[in-house]
Amino acid sequence: LLPTGVALLVTATRANQQLRQRLGHSTLFLMSCVGIATLHPNIVFSLGLMAVPWLAHRMLEQRSYRSFAGTIPSPICTLAFLLLCCAAWFLAWRLPPLQSTVTYVWPPYATPRQELINILKLSYTKGHYYVLPAHIVPAALVAIGAVHCAHTREHRWLLVAYLLAALLVTVTATATGTLRSLLTGFWYTDAFRVSAMAAIAAIPLLCLGAASTLAFAERRLSRRRLDERSYLVPAVCGVAYLALSLYPGISLPGNRLVQSPLAAFAPPVQESYLPNPYEGFLAKVSAATGNDLIINDPYDGSIDTYGLYGMRVYYRYFAGYGTEKETPESILIRNRLDQIAYDPDVRAAVDAVGARYVMALDENGAYGSFTRSARIPGGWDGSRRIPYKTPGFPLMLMDGPCRLYRIDD
């Protein structure tokens, strides 16, 4: 929806249109805004961030504007428009209904230098999500497209939109405090949401970079009097792009491997979509526990067992732990569950939530899952420290590293 909304805005506000066409495109744009706001409000801010450079570009195309005070140069009008946009952004940030969104905190995950490298190789969330290789060929085309936009007036606004998105990615990756909340709070300071916006903004630059590369290759063929074969250029470039993007990897001196996206994502995709080796164990757990509550570590893969197997696991979400919204019972259970036989506070917490079982899966079972990037180090030691024959936890089921314990009354 975001590219559609931007395209409709550009179509509705471009020059040399009849009134009927402009009204029709404007109506479609407003309808798309309603759909975008209904789908998720933060996309409205993504749309605004990409639309402002275009509107500023359109304003600068005029030399001046008439007003009751006389003729005003277009740069001054454009500056006033940008200041108005900043004021609207700030007021929206201060709105009471949005405070739970803009004050949500994700921890930073990169240094400014590392994030600059991440942006240059289109690996925006490297360090936050570890399965994220460099996209060498697309990054090169984006860089070529950026140079093209910098030298082409009509496309310069696309570069500005991408730079704004890259700035927000840098802020959410490296900054803390009020500045981070002000600039990226509308996306929950979530690196994945902001990076998705940056990736969308990078697509026009990639396309322009690809077009510039093709044009350059065709000019070289023409100079060598091979223009009669120029129809082969798009085909050859397309095959080369796919080959370089999908090739498994390149070994470099020093025992280093430069992986392609396909090679890097193959193991997690295999883990996610091939048959689960512990499927039989999970089926037995589901049958044994019935509708009773199970304490779990959501980051070992058990976060999905509620939806897949109908298990009443206590921890069903990948975020929100360690915040003021977490209950005291949950904090006690996460950190000191193994002490239930000796600590009456832990026993009271378990009784309060009504838990009857503890399930521990293989900690590597969630390999490749985005939930691993949100794991709190040591956050589930209470259940992870339960070895065989721990007082208060008789073993019921076992399959390799997976265990199901019953909580003694």
Side-chain angles (χ1 to χ4, degrees):
L1 283 177
L2 178 58
T4 302
V6 175
L8 288 172
L9 176 64
V10 170
T11 305
T13 56
R14 65 185 178 184
N16 302 321
Q17 282 193 96
Q18 296 181 357
L19 179 60
R20 182 178 179 181
Q21 292 176 318
R22 195 178 300 279
L23 289 175
H25 293 145
S26 298
T27 302
L28 290 174
F29 169 70
L30 293 175
M31 291 173 64
S32 73
C33 287
V34 173
I36 287 172
T38 303
L39 180 64
H40 205 297
N42 65 30
I43 308 180
V44 174
F45 295 94
S46 300
L47 175 60
L49 196 75
M50 298 180 69
V52 166
W54 162 254
L55 295 175
H57 165 75
R58 284 287 294 120
M59 293 180 70
L60 287 172
E61 286 183 335
Q62 304 293 327
R63 291 186 177 181
S64 61
Y65 293 90
R66 292 182 179 179
S67 71
F68 65 90
T71 301
I72 304 177
S74 62
I76 295 179
C77 292
T78 304
L79 178 60
F81 167 71
L82 294 177
L83 292 175
L84 183 63
C85 291
C86 292
W89 188 281
F90 180 79
L91 291 175
W93 178 67
R94 297 287 295 176
L95 287 175
L98 295 179
Q99 291 309 296
S100 62
T101 299
V102 299
T103 57
Y104 196 93
V105 177
W106 282 86
Y109 58 88
T111 63
R113 179 178 177 272
Q114 180 59 54
E115 191 55 31
L116 175 61
I117 296 173
N118 291 349
I119 290 171
L120 291 176
K121 62 183 184 178
L122 304 185
S123 301
Y124 304 111
T125 56
K126 176 99 175 152
H128 186 48
Y129 181 51
Y130 72 105
V131 185
L132 201 66
H135 295 71
I136 302 298
V137 179
L141 293 179
V142 169
I144 295 172
V147 173
H148 166 85
C149 290
H151 289 84
T152 307
R153 181 182 177 87
E154 62 179 317
H155 293 152
R156 202 166 294 161
W157 70 274
L158 291 170
L159 176 59
V160 174
Y162 180 66
L163 291 177
L164 287 175
L167 172 64
L168 295 195
V169 171
T170 304
V171 169
T172 199
T174 63
T176 58
T178 303
L179 176 65
R180 189 177 192 229
S181 173
L182 175 62
L183 295 182
T184 65
F186 298 114
W187 297 269
Y188 297 88
T189 67
D190 183 1
F192 295 112
R193 298 172 193 259
V194 180
S195 298
M197 176 180 61
I200 292 174
I203 292 174
L205 272 63
L206 187 150
C207 295
L208 290 170
S212 299
T213 303
L214 287 173
F216 173 78
E218 289 176 344
R219 286 196 301 270
R220 296 288 293 182
L221 286 176
S222 178
R223 290 176 185 174
R224 296 181 179 221
R225 299 182 179 179
L226 296 174
D227 53 307
E228 67 275 6
R229 298 182 183 178
S230 61
Y231 66 90
L232 294 175
V233 174
V236 172
C237 289
V239 171
Y241 177 84
L242 290 175
L244 292 172
S245 298
L246 302 180
Y247 190 76
I250 302 173
S251 296
L252 297 178
N255 196 27
R256 296 185 61 187
L257 177 66
V258 178
Q259 286 187 309
S260 71
L262 180 66
F265 279 104
V269 168
Q270 183 181 26
E271 285 286 334
S272 300
Y273 296 103
L274 292 184
N276 189 330
Y278 303 117
E279 186 174 359
F281 172 79
L282 294 173
K284 292 178 182 178
V285 170
S286 179
T289 58
N291 200 40
D292 291 331
L293 187 65
I294 308 169
I295 294 173
N296 65 305
D297 174 357
Y299 300 116
D300 63 9
S302 60
I303 191 173
D304 298 321
T305 56
Y306 174 72
L308 295 176
Y309 299 93
M311 296 184 195
R312 283 191 62 212
V313 289
Y314 184 53
Y315 296 108
R316 306 177 187 177
Y317 305 99
F318 66 88
Y321 309 111
T323 67
E324 60 183 13
K325 295 181 180 180
E326 186 177 13
T327 65
E329 291 81 6
S330 174
I331 296 173
L332 276 172
I333 290 170
R334 284 197 300 105
N335 294 291
R336 292 157 48 188
L337 177 63
D338 59 316
Q339 303 174 25
I340 192 172
Y342 319 106
D343 192 329
D345 292 336
V346 177
R347 165 58 67 182
V350 171
D351 291 342
V353 301
R356 298 291 304 277
Y357 298 93
V358 179
M359 180 173 64
L361 303 181
D362 183 2
E363 286 192 88
N364 294 320
Y367 176 73
S369 169
F370 73 96
T371 60
R372 290 194 67 178
S373 63
R375 175 188 281 274
I376 302 173
W380 272 264
D381 283 350
S383 59
R384 286 292 167 190
R385 285 195 301 253
I386 300 177
Y388 182 56
K389 293 185 178 180
T390 298
F393 299 97
L395 180 65
M396 291 191 61
L397 293 172
M398 180 177 67
D399 184 356
C402 302
R403 304 283 193 276
L404 176 69
Y405 303 98
R406 181 172 55 84
I407 302 175
D408 276 344
D409 296 330

